[in-house]
């Protein structure tokens, strides 16, 4: 890192070397990943700060790059982290961001449980242009999608010739004891153009939520409406309430969402409960959800021995009727930002791939050494 009072350049990174023996959804052998992140900033006139961040990675998955080397690595192992560049101009109350950042509605919205209709687009590799403003405790944002995850710019698409797609708006803040959030995203002009990451929705979505604290319980109510793309006239609405209440070392959170769909027929309501316990070396979370009529549950626990070793164990069932998946292992802190993970995860029905437990472990036995710099 370097700084002269007006400018600074910072470097951070991480590296992982691991082995996994699953040949279906795991790595089936050794794997590695190294990431270098660069952050630069400069204090300009009039209280404006300019900043730029981006990342470079070396991994065994292959990426597009012209960099080359010889020996253990080849030129396909090097590349910029996918659309990782972010350029920003910020003051205490204003901000302008371009690149790898969230959409406006995504950044401001707060739901009340698992709501089907609050399907605001979530940025995951797109190029985003977003402006933020804060005044008197209220934060507001507006954004456009500029390019998709493959680097295709909207201006290059002859469908509209515009320089941006899907207007997104959001605001959040508090008035006295009540906090609020409102969000809106327009229907995408270029339907399907931004859908590569699976978290981008082309439809129009609106949402409003409010929350407060009563007798120690945090209460949130929210309403969202999703409108399908013309000529379809399908409309989906969600009305939810969520209550979180701490009881000593336990925090219990329950929610219920009334779902309603016009034209396409009825949809099931969503509801669930989460109980989180943390006291000394023990921590555990039990989560149950009824998601569109399907029961899902997971249990994750950990115990810190105080000797650098944290014991991990858990079970889950994400698909009703399947056998429960489970994992057991340990994470040992080597100090100085290094740790060793040894875990065995069992995917009973072969349907979870590398998403077993809260740590999203790969099936089979995994041994990995990780470093942070």
């Amino acid at each position: 890192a370097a700084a002269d009072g007006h400018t600074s350049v910072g470097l951070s990174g991480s590296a992982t070397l691991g082995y996994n023996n699953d040949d279906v959804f795991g790595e089936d052998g050794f794997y590695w990943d190294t990431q270098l992140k660069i952050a630069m900033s400069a204090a300009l006139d009039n209280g404006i700060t300019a900043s730029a961040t981006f990342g470079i990675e070396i991994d065994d998955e292959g990426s597009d790059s012209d960099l080359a080397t010889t020996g253990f690595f080849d030129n396909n192992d090097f590349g910029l982290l996918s659309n990782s560049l972010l350029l920003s101009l910020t003051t205490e109350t204003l901000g302008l961001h371009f690149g790898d950042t969230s959409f406006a509605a995504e950044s401001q919205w707060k739901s009340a449980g698992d709501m089907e209709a609050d399907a605001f687009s979530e940025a995951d590799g797109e190029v985003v242009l977003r402006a933020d403003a804060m005044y008197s405790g209220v934060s507001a944002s507006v954004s456009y999608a500029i390019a998709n995850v493959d680097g295709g710019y909207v201006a290059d698409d002859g469908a509209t010739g515009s320089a941006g797609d899907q207007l997104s708006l959001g605001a959040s803040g508090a008035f006295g004891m009540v906090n609020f959030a409102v969000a809106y995203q327009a229907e995408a002009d270029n339907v399907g153009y931004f859908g590569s990451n699976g978290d981008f929705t082309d439809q129009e979505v609106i949402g409003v939520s409010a929350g407060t604290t009563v007798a120690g319980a945090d209460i949130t109510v929210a309403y969202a409406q999703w409108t399908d793309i013309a000529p379809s006239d399908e409309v989906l609405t969600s009305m939810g309430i969520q209550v979180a209440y701490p009881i000593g070392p336990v925090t219990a959170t329950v929610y219920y969402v009334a779902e309603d769909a016009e034209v396409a027929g009825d949809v099931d309501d969503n509801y669930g409960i989460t109980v989180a316990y943390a006291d000394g070396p023990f921590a555990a979370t039990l989560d149950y959800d009824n998601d569109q009529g399907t029961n899902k549950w997971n249990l994750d626990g950990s115990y810190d021995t105080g000797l650098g070793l944290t014991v991990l164990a858990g079970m889950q069932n994400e698909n009703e009727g399947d056998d429960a998946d489970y994992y057991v292992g340990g994470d040992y802190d080597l100090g100085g930002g290094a740790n060793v993970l040894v875990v065995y995860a069992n995917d009973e029905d072969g349907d979870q791939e590398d998403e077993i437990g809260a740590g999203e472990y790969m099936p089979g036995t995994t041994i990995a050494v990780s470093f942070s710099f």
Side-chain angles (χ1 to χ4, degrees):
D4 64 5
H6 297 283
T7 64
S8 66
V9 178
L11 301 177
S12 63
S14 63
T16 299
L17 173 62
Y19 175 84
N20 173 268
N21 66 350
D22 186 88
D23 61 355
V24 179
F25 297 116
E27 294 287 346
D28 190 25
F30 287 99
Y31 63 95
W32 58 89
D33 179 80
T34 302
Q35 297 185 358
L36 174 65
K37 295 185 179 179
I38 299 96
M40 303 176 288
S41 66
L44 309 181
D45 295 335
N46 303 318
I48 299 175
T49 298
S51 64
T53 60
F54 64 95
I56 298 173
E57 72 173 348
I58 307 171
D59 62 31
D60 64 336
E61 302 297 331
S63 57
D64 295 330
S65 174
D66 293 329
L67 297 176
T69 188
T70 59
F72 192 54
F73 302 108
D74 60 37
N75 66 314
N76 288 326
D77 293 322
F78 290 79
L80 287 175
L81 290 170
S82 177
N83 296 339
S84 63
L85 179 64
L86 175 61
L87 305 175
S88 299
L89 293 173
T90 57
T91 69
E92 291 185 356
T93 58
L94 299 172
L96 182 64
H97 312 276
F98 179 85
D100 183 20
T101 189
S102 59
F103 297 115
E106 173 192 3
S107 65
Q108 301 287 356
W109 172 245
K110 184 176 181 179
S111 68
D114 181 12
M115 306 174 67
E116 298 296 317
D118 68 342
F120 294 104
S121 294
E122 298 178 8
D124 186 12
E126 292 90 356
V127 176
V128 179
L129 176 63
R130 192 187 76 237
D132 303 325
M134 179 175 291
Y135 179 77
S136 191
V138 176
S139 174
S141 302
V142 56
S143 71
Y144 279 96
I146 303 300
N148 63 17
V149 296
D150 299 318
Y153 283 79
V154 177
D156 295 331
D157 182 9
T160 64
S162 66
D165 202 343
Q166 193 171 79
L167 170 67
S168 182
L169 303 169
S172 63
F175 295 109
M177 295 292 293
V178 178
N179 56 71
F180 75 93
V182 293
Y184 167 81
Q185 76 174 33
E187 178 182 312
D189 294 324
N190 299 272
V191 175
Y193 190 69
F194 289 88
S196 300
N197 75 14
D199 295 320
F200 190 97
T201 56
D202 294 314
Q203 292 80 5
E204 180 187 61
V205 182
I206 61 173
V208 57
S209 70
T212 189
T213 300
V214 178
D218 295 327
I219 303 172
T220 303
V221 294
Y223 171 84
Q225 177 178 295
W226 171 98
T227 303
D228 203 2
I229 299 168
S232 171
D233 55 359
E234 181 179 356
V235 176
L236 174 66
T237 62
S238 302
M239 184 69 190
I241 181 170
Q242 178 175 279
V243 180
Y245 188 72
I247 309 170
V250 177
T251 298
T253 303
V254 297
Y255 71 89
Y256 184 88
V257 181
E259 307 282 2
D260 183 60
E262 300 177 9
V263 180
D266 293 334
V267 291
D268 292 324
D269 295 343
N270 292 336
Y271 54 88
I273 180 171
T274 300
V275 179
Y277 172 87
D279 188 20
F282 292 97
T285 300
L286 174 63
D287 181 73
Y288 165 79
D289 298 281
N290 187 285
D291 182 8
Q292 291 300 289
T294 300
N295 292 308
K296 302 178 179 180
W297 62 269
N298 64 274
L299 173 64
D300 296 284
S302 65
Y303 174 72
D304 187 347
T305 65
L307 302 173
L309 175 65
T310 300
V311 179
L312 309 167
M315 301 180 67
Q316 70 180 35
N317 191 332
E318 295 294 319
N319 297 297
E320 189 174 13
D322 289 350
D323 295 324
D325 307 315
Y326 64 89
Y327 68 93
V328 61
D331 190 290
Y332 187 76
D333 186 359
L334 298 174
N339 69 288
V340 177
L341 172 70
V342 179
V343 63
Y344 173 76
N346 187 40
D347 185 356
E348 285 288 338
D349 298 285
D351 55 4
Q352 291 305 304
E353 300 186 9
D354 60 347
E355 298 179 353
I356 301 175
E360 297 187 346
Y361 303 114
M362 293 180 287
T365 299
T366 299
I367 304 173
V369 182
S370 299
F371 307 89
S372 296
F373 305 95

